[in-house]
Protein backbone atom coordinates (compact mmCIF):
# COMPACT_ATOMS: atom_id res chain seq x y z
CA UNK A 1 0.00 0.00 0.00
CA UNK A 2 1.38 3.40 -0.96
CA UNK A 3 1.24 6.00 1.79
CA UNK A 4 -1.51 8.57 1.24
CA UNK A 5 -0.29 11.95 2.56
CA UNK A 6 -3.87 13.23 2.60
CA UNK A 7 -5.07 10.77 5.25
CA UNK A 8 -6.59 12.31 8.36
CA UNK A 9 -3.70 11.46 10.69
CA UNK A 10 -1.17 12.99 8.30
CA UNK A 11 -3.27 16.16 8.45
CA UNK A 12 -3.24 16.00 12.25
CA UNK A 13 0.55 15.61 12.21
CA UNK A 14 0.87 18.66 9.94
CA UNK A 15 -1.36 20.66 12.30
CA UNK A 16 -4.10 21.07 9.69
CA UNK A 17 -6.65 19.39 11.96
CA UNK A 18 -6.73 19.93 15.74
CA UNK A 19 -6.27 17.11 18.23
CA UNK A 20 -6.27 16.61 21.97
CA UNK A 21 -2.69 15.57 22.59
CA UNK A 22 -1.95 13.13 25.39
CA UNK A 23 1.76 12.69 24.73
CA UNK A 24 4.26 13.70 22.07
CA UNK A 25 7.96 13.30 21.37
CA UNK A 26 10.21 13.41 18.30
CA UNK A 27 8.81 10.19 16.83
CA UNK A 28 5.32 9.71 18.24
CA UNK A 29 2.04 11.54 18.75
CA UNK A 30 -0.72 10.26 21.01
CA UNK A 31 -4.14 11.88 21.09
CA UNK A 32 -7.70 11.18 22.16
CA UNK A 33 -9.91 9.44 19.60
CA UNK A 34 -12.59 11.82 18.29
CA UNK A 35 -15.26 9.12 18.62
CA UNK A 36 -14.31 7.28 21.84
CA UNK A 37 -15.59 3.72 22.21
CA UNK A 38 -14.56 3.52 25.88
CA UNK A 39 -14.04 6.04 28.74
CA UNK A 40 -10.38 6.11 27.68
CA UNK A 41 -9.74 5.82 23.95
CA UNK A 42 -6.39 7.10 22.67
CA UNK A 43 -4.55 6.65 19.43
CA UNK A 44 -0.78 6.36 19.23
CA UNK A 45 0.78 7.13 15.85
CA UNK A 46 4.34 7.33 14.59
CA UNK A 47 5.33 10.61 12.96
CA UNK A 48 6.88 8.68 10.09
CA UNK A 49 4.86 7.69 7.05
CA UNK A 50 3.88 4.06 7.73
CA UNK A 51 0.62 2.69 6.41
CA UNK A 52 -0.02 -0.08 8.94
CA UNK A 53 1.45 -2.35 11.61
CA UNK A 54 3.22 -4.59 9.08
CA UNK A 55 4.83 -1.62 7.34
CA UNK A 56 5.91 -0.11 10.66
CA UNK A 57 7.26 -3.39 12.04
CA UNK A 58 9.24 -4.11 8.87
CA UNK A 59 10.51 -0.65 8.01
CA UNK A 60 10.67 1.64 11.05
CA UNK A 61 14.08 2.46 12.49
CA UNK A 62 15.12 1.03 15.84
CA UNK A 63 14.67 4.50 17.32
CA UNK A 64 11.13 4.78 15.99
CA UNK A 65 10.22 1.28 17.21
CA UNK A 66 11.55 2.00 20.68
CA UNK A 67 9.85 5.40 20.86
CA UNK A 68 6.52 3.87 19.87
CA UNK A 69 6.69 1.21 22.57
CA UNK A 70 7.82 3.68 25.21
CA UNK A 71 4.86 5.87 24.22
CA UNK A 72 2.49 3.02 25.06
CA UNK A 73 3.85 2.93 28.60
CA UNK A 74 3.65 6.72 28.83
CA UNK A 75 0.03 6.89 27.72
CA UNK A 76 -0.95 4.08 30.08
CA UNK A 77 0.63 6.06 32.90
CA UNK A 78 -0.90 9.42 31.92
CA UNK A 79 -4.37 7.91 31.54
CA UNK A 80 -4.13 5.95 34.81
CA UNK A 81 -4.56 2.52 33.21
CA UNK A 82 -1.67 0.73 34.92
CA UNK A 83 -3.61 -0.99 37.70
CA UNK A 84 -6.82 -2.10 36.00
CA UNK A 85 -5.38 -2.60 32.52
CA UNK A 86 -6.46 -1.78 29.01
CA UNK A 87 -6.76 -3.15 25.50
CA UNK A 88 -4.34 -2.31 22.66
CA UNK A 89 -5.61 -2.81 19.12
CA UNK A 90 -4.01 -2.30 15.70
CA UNK A 91 -6.64 -2.77 13.02
CA UNK A 92 -4.72 -3.71 9.89
CA UNK A 93 -5.83 -3.41 6.26
CA UNK A 94 -9.18 -4.64 4.96
CA UNK A 95 -9.69 -7.76 7.07
CA UNK A 96 -8.57 -5.89 10.18
CA UNK A 97 -11.08 -3.12 9.54
CA UNK A 98 -8.48 -0.34 9.29
CA UNK A 99 -10.10 2.94 8.26
CA UNK A 100 -7.22 5.40 8.45
CA UNK A 101 -4.18 4.33 6.38
CA UNK A 102 -1.55 5.71 8.75
CA UNK A 103 -0.35 3.15 11.30
CA UNK A 104 -2.01 3.61 14.69
CA UNK A 105 -2.62 1.74 17.90
CA UNK A 106 -5.84 2.15 19.86
CA UNK A 107 -5.51 2.18 23.67
CA UNK A 108 -8.88 1.45 25.26
CA UNK A 109 -9.71 1.39 28.95
CA UNK A 110 -11.40 3.00 31.91
CA UNK A 111 -13.81 0.08 32.28
CA UNK A 112 -13.81 -3.62 31.42
CA UNK A 113 -13.62 -4.14 27.68
CA UNK A 114 -16.31 -6.31 26.08
CA UNK A 115 -15.36 -9.71 24.60
CA UNK A 116 -12.80 -9.16 21.86
CA UNK A 117 -14.65 -11.07 19.16
CA UNK A 118 -18.39 -11.69 19.26
CA UNK A 119 -19.41 -14.61 17.07
CA UNK A 120 -23.01 -14.48 15.93
P1 LIG B 1 -9.25 2.49 12.51
O1 LIG B 1 -10.65 2.06 12.20
O2 LIG B 1 -8.52 2.94 11.28
O3 LIG B 1 -8.48 1.46 13.30
O4 LIG B 1 -9.36 3.70 13.51
C1 LIG B 1 -9.43 5.02 13.11
C2 LIG B 1 -9.84 5.82 14.32
O5 LIG B 1 -9.63 7.18 14.04
C3 LIG B 1 -11.32 5.66 14.71
O6 LIG B 1 -11.41 5.17 16.04
C4 LIG B 1 -11.87 7.07 14.59
O7 LIG B 1 -12.80 7.38 15.59
C5 LIG B 1 -10.62 7.93 14.69
N1 LIG B 1 -10.71 9.21 13.99
C6 LIG B 1 -11.17 9.41 12.73
N2 LIG B 1 -11.04 10.71 12.40
C7 LIG B 1 -10.49 11.34 13.47
C8 LIG B 1 -10.10 12.69 13.72
O8 LIG B 1 -10.24 13.60 12.89
N3 LIG B 1 -9.55 12.95 14.94
C9 LIG B 1 -9.37 11.98 15.88
N4 LIG B 1 -8.82 12.34 17.05
N5 LIG B 1 -9.72 10.70 15.67
C10 LIG B 1 -10.27 10.38 14.47
Amino acid sequence: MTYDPDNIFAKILRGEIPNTTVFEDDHVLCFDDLYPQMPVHCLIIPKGEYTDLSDFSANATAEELTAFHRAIAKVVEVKGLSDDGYRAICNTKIHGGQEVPHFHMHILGGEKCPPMIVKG
Side-chain angles (χ1 to χ4, degrees):
M1 194 196 295
T2 314
Y3 184 82
D4 170 13
D6 286 331
N7 78 75
I8 204 95
F9 294 168
K11 291 180 179 174
I12 285 176
L13 284 169
R14 289 196 296 268
E16 295 166 11
I17 293 176
N19 74 91
T20 304
T21 299
V22 175
F23 172 76
E24 181 172 14
D25 67 15
D26 288 348
H27 297 292
V28 178
L29 178 66
C30 171
F31 50 96
D32 289 326
D33 197 293
L34 196 56
Y35 308 102
Q37 303 298 309
M38 295 278 289
V40 175
H41 187 172
C42 299
L43 300 167
I44 307 175
I45 67 173
K47 291 188 174 177
E49 296 184 346
Y50 300 101
T51 57
D52 57 35
L53 175 60
S54 306
D55 184 20
F56 185 69
S57 301
N59 299 313
T61 65
E63 215 175 40
E64 289 173 317
L65 290 163
T66 300
F68 193 89
H69 281 80
R70 295 280 192 246
I72 299 169
K74 190 71 190 168
V75 168
V76 166
E77 177 198 324
V78 169
K79 290 290 185 177
L81 304 177
S82 304
D83 289 343
D84 291 333
Y86 59 94
R87 180 170 290 165
I89 296 176
C90 298
N91 296 323
T92 305
K93 296 184 177 165
I94 292 173
H95 282 188
Q98 181 178 2
E99 291 174 2
V100 179
H102 180 112
F103 170 51
H104 52 281
M105 177 180 283
H106 298 253
I107 300 291
L108 299 147
E111 66 184 29
K112 190 165 175 19
C113 292
M116 192 166 66
I117 294 175
V118 178
K119 296 192 173 175

